Amino acid sequence: AYRTDEGQPWVLPVVKKVEQMIANDNSLNHEYLPILGLPEFRANASRIALGDDSPAIKEKRVGSVQCLGGTGALRIGADFLRRWYNGNNNTATPVYVSTPSWENHNSVFMDAGFKDIRTYHYWDAAKRGLDLQGLLSDMENAPEFSIFILHACAHNPTGTDPTPEQWKQIAAVMKRRSLFPFFDSAYQGFASGSLDKDAWAVRYFVSEGFELFCAQSFSKNFGLYNERVGNLTVVGKDADNVQRVLSQMEKIVRTTWSNPPSQGARIVATTLASPQLFDEWKGNVKTMADRVLLMRSELRSRLEALGTPGTWNHITEQIGMFSFTGLNPKQVEYMVKEKHIYLMASGRINMCGLTTKNLDYVAKSIHEAVTKIQ
Amino acid sequence: SSWWSHVEMGPPDPILGVTEAYKRDTNSKKMNLGVGAYRDDNGKPYVLNCVRKAEAMIAAKKMDKEYLPIGGLADFTRASAELALGENSEAFKSGRYVTVQGISGTGSLRIGANFLQRFFKASRDVYLPKPSWGNHTPIFRDAGMQLQAYRYYDPKTCSLDFSGAMDDISKIPEKSIILLHACAHNPTGVDPRQEQWKELAATVKKRNLLVYFDMAYQGFASGDINRDAWAVRYFIEQGINIVLSQSFAKNMGLYGERAGAFTVICSDADEAKRVESQLKILIRPMYSNPPVNGARIASMILNTPDLRKEWLTEVKGMADRIISMRTQLVSNLKKEGSSHNWQHITDQIGMFCFTGLKPEQVERLIKEFSVYMTKDGRISVAGVTSGNVGYLAHAIHQVTK
């Protein structure tokens, strides 16, 4: 979760404003939302992912399902795929998850009923970057019609994203091998500060004619973590296909949670639908993204100034909330035990935990860990 | 070509589809007696005063939006358990229970269904009353369970077929799962009397059945939360370790906020901790953690003495209005000159009434009178007002005389 420079959670100013508007609106009540969610939320959420000028939206071949956070969107998508993709109830369709990935990806698809969950190469520990060759090779060798979970931006946990050129290569292989793209978009806007930039990959795939799913989370970019606001965007070949897909997703939703929670969706819908509030929101998002980017650059420059062994450009080349520092488990143990700096055994740090007050301490501690422990 | 060419168009949800058809109707006299959402005597949705107050108190606290734990808001889950079990419950006081926050009634039922599928190895069979809420069957089926039924409603008398139920239940294979509606049976409104509950408890105990209570209307049925939870509490006192799903959609009017809870009564606190850990493992890949808003409101109400008192009064007010509409419907039917016995309308309890109307009669009500209900003749009494009860009685009389 995001933290301010004081190390505190941050409720976005635009969210506070909109919550007040909602509280003051006596015409609102707590009635059930439709099964697929608040219509204004669904349409606006998909528009954010695909772009105002998206040809897919113009061609009415985009569907949306309001879900409980990004997790809920992944789960509804996974449940649907297990029932209807690559045949009927084909639990044998391979599902590929990056190595490493968010650990819940595996559980979501497993609990949805898929029996064959595999990994694809992603992180190259030696060069601290993307193992593109490994990734493309895995895609070449994957059985036709396999499902690939792709991180739309700010890969969790490595912070390492393919470049546009690399995405183009990935798309080409996926098209040729008939692989299904299931995007996980949890950080749109939060990664680079630009909604459009962070959605580039998803939009590229759409422009290449793919049918795809995109699980969107508004937990981070709206700071609405506990309201569980998510959206499953479905891009299909045409309106008729999308309509039938949505009708079946409705049945899945009905036995999972019946209809989604209204508070968070109202906040997002109100914000996205108003040009003024939308601009305000983009500003708030940029504030968060900029702080993270600043911490990255400050951490890197301190490490380089200290002459910490190794290269540290990956700290600023990586993007989003997390960074794979490259620290090994022993060095991590030193950080935790001796310096009381908490990070994952994988060497992953949450950049949001850095503040102007603790930057020096963290940089020095990393320096110590790297020089004292091999 | 598309991946989805073979995907069939799913049929519209039978219950929610009624509201959609109602919305499209332009008749000024139209009545929506479909979905079970409470309406005041002006036919408007009712936001409880205690809810508004709780919301204001919550807003004033300026809390952050950090994720809830997977199992939900602790103050909420504890208060939900206490509400269901009673503050003097031995099971509650000893801590031999686990309650997790669920996405209203449906989500709580589904967590339970998934939990049973994974951990209740003795049987795949879930016995539902005939009839039951339409969504019970697909929920359990999607969780991987099999559905069976026991007799419950007697269409000849529009009341409980108690001997049929006892007969069927006494033959259910041991260690099967039986689902019971704690109060205000949906869709029939027919509840067992306390002596009948006692016999049911003895029988399920003898058959060694796992009891799954669905309590979506505590307080809303009789107007008294303790009375409505009587069966749940009695079963537990008889040593039956039930599982329970609760909803706060109706009794707090929190429909769209999705406030609910799933409870497992365990042998001891240690077992409860182990069960809790497994419930969390089930929840995480569904939606990670639950939505805060409804749970905070419910928690504020249940845990603030003044608000709780106000809530109890308001929930009784809703129950009383419904009871009064039942009475008025029956008297209006008499006034229309109907010779049928409509006593079941006032004998039944809760939001719903199984009118006894046949599908052809329901269809006429919809087409000729714009009175919308589900095909099984179920009406939501909450949709009846003193302003339209006369029209409803007239319409029913026309299609049944």
Side-chain angles (χ1 to χ4, degrees), chain B residues 67 212-213 222 248 273 319 339 355:
Chain B
Y67 288 123
Y212 197 149
F213 266 109
S222 69
F248 291 90
K273 275 258 148 331
S339 54
T355 54

Side-chain angles (χ1 to χ4, degrees), chain B residues 35-48:
Chain B
V35 79
Y38 180 79
R39 294 287 175 265
D40 64 17
D41 203 46
N42 294 313
K44 296 271 176 283
Y46 174 57
V47 177
L48 278 65

Side-chain angles (χ1 to χ4, degrees), chain A residues 274-348:
Chain A
S274 147
Q276 190 193 336
L277 293 172
F278 181 55
D279 278 346
E280 211 176 315
W281 172 58
K282 282 194 285 190
N284 289 172
V285 173
K286 195 162 184 316
T287 297
M288 292 190 286
D290 283 350
R291 194 181 96 67
V292 172
L293 288 168
L294 179 66
M295 291 300 102
R296 286 183 178 278
S297 105
E298 293 285 299
L299 179 62
R300 172 182 171 181
S301 62
R302 274 168 180 69
L303 291 171
E304 286 171 349
L306 286 168
T308 309
T311 54
W312 299 101
N313 47 300
H314 58 283
I315 301 276
T316 49
E317 280 158 23
Q318 288 167 7
I319 195 166
M321 198 179 279
F322 301 115
S323 176
F324 249 27
T325 54
L327 293 176
N328 65 40
K330 283 203 164 69
Q331 293 164 337
V332 169
E333 201 182 337
Y334 178 86
M335 295 283 284
V336 175
K337 290 217 162 82
E338 306 299 324
K339 312 305 291 185
H340 311 292
I341 294 172
Y342 292 85
L343 64 160
M344 307 289 282
S346 60
R348 183 193 88 168

Side-chain angles (χ1 to χ4, degrees), chain A residues 194-214:
Chain A
S194 156
L195 292 170
D196 294 326
K197 195 155 170 217
D198 290 345
W200 188 89
V202 179
R203 296 176 189 184
Y204 177 73
F205 271 65
V206 172
S207 73
E208 286 294 295
F210 282 90
E211 291 187 301
L212 56 82
F213 287 175
C214 180

Side-chain angles (χ1 to χ4, degrees), chain B residues 359-386:
Chain B
E360 320 83 70
Q361 295 166 326
V362 171
E363 186 152 359
R364 282 190 63 198
L365 280 173
I366 294 174
K367 288 210 157 76
E368 295 172 33
F369 296 93
S370 296
V371 172
Y372 289 81
M373 63 186 69
T374 44
K375 276 202 327 271
D376 53 10
R378 181 193 88 164
I379 60 170
S380 169
V381 184
V384 182
T385 69
S386 45

